[in-house]
Amino acid sequence: MRQPRGRASDSSVLAVGHGVNDLYQGAVPALLPFLAAAHGWTYVMVGGLTLAATALSAITQPLFGWLTDRHHLAWLVPAGTTLAALGIALSGPATSYAATCAALAVCGLGVAAYHPAAARLARTAAAGSHRAMSWFVFSGTLGVAVAPLLVAPTVAMAGLSATLWLLAPALVMVVVTVRLLPATRRLSAPATTLPATVSSPPADDWAAFRRLTALVVLRSLVTYGLGTFVALLLNARTGTVVAGQAALLLLAATGALGTMAGGVLADRHRDRVRLIRNANVCVVPGLLMIVVLPGWSGLLGVAVTGVSLYVPFSLHLTLGQDYLPGRVGTASGVTLGLAVSAGGLAAPALGALAQATSLPVAIAALALSPLASLPVLRTMADPAVRATATRGGPF
């Protein structure tokens, strides 16, 4: 008789699945330069595509989070990946702007369905370890990083209709996940495990969670703003689409490094709020380097921004779950969904700014977001640090 799978094995399945799912999230910015060039769409229309990919996700992801707090919905993990892949597959052959927006909205719906259920299961499997959760988030960032490597050659060689071939990774992962779904469902009990520094689950802290949500929204403005327009900027400066795809790949790759660094540092130094504050300060010079450095050297600014922008990524998720220990699905749905996707809602406005001024001006304007986060961070505290101090610990 086959032995039950352990938590480490469950974590691995969830991590790989997260990478495959987020590959399709990363495929959206990778496709934008090709769609804009093929159809002659303006910056505002390109921003509208990002809006289409994120609006439905932002609206529905908290709902999926609320549902996963009340029911066993492990099936949303393979179902969400399937929808996300289908949306990307149909976006290339779409013959009109409206049809492309609709396809990307389907992708966003799939992303919305996937994340709350997967993040809730991952938290239980991680048993309160920030490093383990950072591996889960890292795998998603790695999936985003792989997207340009997969999308760019496929579309460049075979045209936009070749996005249909991008269904393949999802189909493989869905088969694996469905086969292992009984083991995954075993983790579907309400996840209230907190870091070892917290002796008992505190009450839900909605005031702190609202401040965290504002913080994640401000970060997402930079994430989606860069994802939408940095490739277009590098393409224009170098005269080749290779530079733009390299920028997206570098942004995601350095973001993956930042994600892992955030988890390691949080386990070592405990105070996640301080880490987030320091990372936000470092985002500003990175953005300005993208704006002022010429040609390919702008990639240096992309690298600095990527690391700094993603150090807080997994920390936002675990903080949200710690602020709402009784509603882990809801916390995951908001921090990975509504708040993260909110940045995409501003993409058309950023496109209008770029059209009225220039792409460098629009990207420079993104530096206002990390600066605005600093007053919010001054009102926040890490609940794990607070609990340790109450017990007479080193903090």
Side-chain angles (χ1 to χ4, degrees):
M1 179 180 296
R2 188 172 64 181
Q3 296 299 314
R5 298 172 57 85
R7 282 188 170 184
S9 182
D10 290 318
S11 293
S12 299
V13 172
L14 289 165
V16 174
H18 192 199
V20 173
N21 181 84
D22 281 16
L23 182 152
Y24 297 102
Q25 193 170 9
V28 175
L31 279 171
L32 293 181
F34 294 102
L35 291 168
H39 300 286
W41 290 334
T42 66
Y43 291 148
V44 174
M45 296 176 76
V46 170
L49 294 176
T50 299
L51 173 63
T54 55
L56 192 59
S57 177
I59 293 169
T60 59
Q61 206 153 169
L63 173 61
F64 284 118
W66 179 81
L67 289 171
T68 58
D69 281 332
R70 287 156 178 77
H71 306 285
H72 297 288
L73 298 177
W75 59 268
L76 283 176
V77 174
T81 299
T82 302
L83 272 181
L86 186 62
I88 291 298
L90 295 177
S91 66
T95 56
S96 68
Y97 184 75
T100 305
C101 286
L104 294 180
V106 170
C107 174
L109 182 63
V111 169
Y114 174 88
H115 277 115
R120 183 169 172 269
L121 299 176
R123 176 178 170 87
T124 303
S129 167
H130 299 308
R131 187 174 302 189
M133 283 302 292
S134 71
W135 273 110
F136 172 75
V137 178
F138 167 83
S139 64
T141 309
L142 189 62
V144 175
V146 169
L149 295 176
L150 187 61
V151 170
T154 300
V155 175
M157 290 188 296
L160 283 169
S161 61
T163 54
L164 291 168
W165 290 101
L166 299 179
L167 275 169
L171 295 178
V172 172
M173 194 63 218
V174 164
V175 170
V176 172
T177 303
V178 169
R179 181 174 177 271
L180 298 174
L181 195 57
T184 306
R185 189 179 293 117
R186 177 170 52 79
L187 291 173
S188 294
T192 57
T193 305
L194 290 172
T197 53
V198 181
S199 59
S200 61
D204 292 336
D205 188 345
W206 284 100
F209 186 74
R210 284 193 292 271
R211 289 191 287 271
L212 176 67
T213 300
L215 198 67
V216 180
V217 169
L218 288 169
R219 176 189 174 275
S220 73
L221 293 173
V222 182
T223 304
Y224 278 97
L226 278 183
T228 302
F229 294 110
V230 72
L232 295 174
L233 176 63
L234 268 292
N235 289 350
R237 283 184 170 174
T238 63
T240 171
V241 296
V242 175
Q245 295 299 313
L248 292 174
L249 172 61
L250 184 61
L251 181 64
T254 54
L257 292 176
T259 299
M260 285 307 303
V264 171
L265 290 170
D267 274 338
R268 183 175 300 173
H269 300 293
R270 300 295 181 188
D271 194 339
R272 288 167 287 180
V273 172
R274 180 182 299 175
L275 289 172
I276 293 170
R277 181 171 59 247
N278 293 339
N280 273 272
V281 170
C282 294
V283 170
V284 177
L287 289 170
L288 297 180
M289 289 168 68
I290 295 173
V291 171
V292 302
L293 294 179
W296 287 85
S297 62
L299 292 176
L300 179 60
V302 173
V304 173
T305 305
V307 173
S308 306
L309 191 61
Y310 278 84
V311 163
F313 195 15
S314 66
L315 309 185
H316 288 158
L317 174 60
T318 57
L319 268 177
Q321 292 174 336
D322 287 355
Y323 285 144
L324 301 184
R327 294 173 173 83
V328 170
T330 299
S332 302
V334 173
T335 54
L336 285 178
L338 174 62
V340 169
S341 300
L345 305 182
L350 192 64
L353 176 62
Q355 206 158 297
T357 56
S358 67
L359 278 174
V361 169
I363 290 177
L366 294 173
L368 297 174
S369 289
L371 293 175
S373 73
L374 299 180
V376 179
L377 282 159
R378 290 193 188 97
T379 68
M380 295 174 61
D382 189 321
V385 172
R386 199 164 48 209
T388 304
T390 301
R391 294 165 51 197
F395 292 97

